[in-house]
Amino acid sequence: MKAVVKTKPGIGLEILDVPDPKIEPGEVIIQVEACGVCGNDARLYRWDEGFFTKIVGPYLPVTIGHEGCGRIVELGAGVEGFKSGQRVVMEATITCGRCYLCLEGKSNICVNSQHIGAHRSGAMAEYIAVPQQLIYPVPDSLRPAEAALLEPLSVGVHGLERMPVKVGNTVAVVGPGAIGLLLVQAARAAGADRIIVLGTSRSQRRLDLARSFGADEVIITDQEDWGRKVADITDGRGVDQAFETAGPGRAVLDALLATRKGGQVCLVGANDDPPQLQTYTMLRGKEIDIFTARGRTPLTWERSLRLVASGCIDFGPLTADRVPLAEAVAGFERHSRDRDIIKLIVEP
């Protein structure tokens, strides 16, 4: 079968013929219909020298991709509750189920975790073998490209689990990427009164979409006195809660700057930047509560699916950029230089 493979350190990917997956007891074989390109996939393409690439390096070559959905075509021994032909979406993290974190219900930070598309073959291929505990059924009414966006939606929903939005609060979302735009919609459903989205001039299309997704205000941080604008919107106080979904250290600082004294900040974006002293000084001076969110738990998947079923989430505009698997490498190249591509989706 064809697959998108990271074969060696350095920029680039390859489309290769690889063996079809072999099914093991407790697993299913999925014919992949769509796989979203995550920020970590983009980092693998560029081979950013950091924590993530150090983790993946020993496992090369590896088929990438973890935001996958498709239809079950084969069930392994012992699989129950699923049937052939059923459309499912897949969790990205394989957990041990035995460590103290798994037993506490925090499987998203399992100490023995492995990741699809990094430690074992991923979903940017024609077929993938997945343990049954990682799959969740999705309705046929959800198009494959939309179902592939359930994984990034669940990341935002887990941020809301870690830092619940209080009804009537003013909320900032720093970073209008796919997770940030989906979080805007989820925060509105959770009861946020006013939502402000912060981004740079490089993200104009994303900021425009934020408005269509329900943001009350969008602020271009490198073109205006955005601190004053936030103050004007919030009667001089700052936002009650801020979600940082971009990753760079500057975005973390912006989230803290936008938040009022006694407010709350949730860090959702992946960040390898070194901390800044100014950040710690601000934390103490404002007495801000900090939350962090990583991945999701099985319950997060259920909540995300219910949120979609309720009609609160519009995936449509985020599914515009799709490429067939045979053109995935060209798609990554375009994605790396075109900020107007918010979410690239590969369709085997």
Side-chain angles (χ1 to χ4, degrees):
M1 67 173 183
K2 299 290 185 183
V4 182
V5 183
K6 185 70 179 184
T7 59
K8 58 187 177 182
I11 191 168
L13 296 165
E14 296 181 51
I15 309 295
L16 299 178
D17 286 307
V18 301
D20 289 350
K22 294 182 179 179
I23 197 165
E24 300 288 344
E27 293 187 343
V28 300
I29 300 291
I30 298 171
Q31 183 175 11
V32 180
E33 295 179 314
C35 182
V37 173
C38 170
N40 282 335
D41 296 319
R43 291 169 73 185
L44 278 178
Y45 167 77
R46 298 189 304 264
W47 199 251
D48 295 349
E49 292 293 344
F51 175 78
F52 188 71
T53 51
K54 291 177 182 177
I55 292 296
V56 177
Y59 293 88
L60 299 181
V62 66
T63 298
I64 71 166
H66 58 269
E67 297 180 359
C69 79
R71 292 191 183 276
I72 296 173
V73 294
E74 186 178 352
L75 293 87
V79 174
E80 298 179 352
F82 296 96
K83 60 184 180 181
S84 183
Q86 187 173 18
R87 178 175 286 157
V88 294
V89 67
M90 65 193 74
E91 166 60 52
T93 305
I94 301 171
T95 60
C96 70
R98 301 182 304 274
C99 71
Y100 71 99
L101 290 166
C102 286
L103 296 176
E104 283 184 351
K106 298 178 180 179
S107 58
N108 58 307
I109 48 175
C110 167
V111 296
N112 302 307
S113 63
Q114 289 194 320
H115 301 277
I116 289 174
H119 300 124
R120 62 177 279 171
S121 295
M124 220 165 282
E126 294 179 83
Y127 296 92
I128 183 174
V130 182
Q132 71 164 352
Q133 66 266 27
L134 300 189
I135 60 174
Y136 298 86
V138 294
D140 285 339
S141 58
L142 207 59
R143 294 183 296 118
E146 295 173 325
L149 286 164
L150 281 164
E151 197 272 356
L153 170 64
S154 69
V155 173
V157 171
H158 185 55
L160 287 166
E161 291 173 332
R162 295 282 292 147
M163 187 180 78
V165 166
K166 297 176 182 178
V167 174
N169 270 6
T170 297
V171 171
V173 175
V174 182
I179 292 173
L181 292 172
L182 292 168
L183 205 154
V184 166
Q185 301 177 66
R188 178 70 74 196
D193 176 46
R194 287 182 294 181
I195 299 176
I196 304 167
V197 176
L198 280 67
T200 68
S201 55
R202 295 175 62 237
S203 302
Q204 187 61 58
R205 183 190 174 212
R206 301 166 183 231
L207 291 169
D208 292 341
L209 274 178
R211 286 190 184 278
S212 70
F213 283 148
D216 298 287
E217 300 281 350
V218 298
I219 298 176
I220 304 175
T221 57
D222 58 343
Q223 286 189 353
E224 53 190 315
D225 185 349
W226 69 267
R228 180 177 295 277
K229 190 168 184 179
V230 169
D232 290 343
I233 295 169
T234 60
D235 298 323
R237 292 193 300 269
V239 301
D240 300 302
Q241 296 172 296
F243 291 89
E244 181 281 311
T245 64
R250 180 68 224 185
V252 174
L253 187 57
D254 287 352
L256 294 169
L257 286 167
T259 303
R260 66 171 173 81
K261 287 186 174 182
Q264 298 177 322
V265 171
C266 184
L267 307 179
V268 180
N271 180 16
D272 289 333
D273 288 356
Q276 301 178 48
L277 178 61
Q278 183 182 2
T279 302
Y280 293 116
T281 303
M282 194 180 315
L283 282 173
R284 181 180 178 277
K286 285 190 171 184
E287 204 169 84
I288 290 173
D289 291 331
I290 297 291
F291 298 83
T292 59
R294 180 180 185 273
R296 81 237 99 231
T297 68
L299 184 57
T300 315
W301 278 107
E302 294 186 18
R303 287 174 172 151
S304 300
L305 286 161
R306 289 200 299 269
L307 193 60
V308 171
S310 71
C312 295
I313 303 297
D314 179 13
F315 290 122
L318 298 179
T319 64
D321 294 294
R322 305 192 300 274
V323 295
L325 190 146
E327 299 174 16
V329 175
F332 270 87
E333 291 171 352
R334 194 170 74 254
H335 180 261
S336 69
R337 63 176 184 270
D338 187 352
R339 289 285 295 177
D340 282 348
I341 299 176
I342 301 169
K343 173 61 72 172
L344 181 67
I345 297 173
V346 175
E347 297 179 323

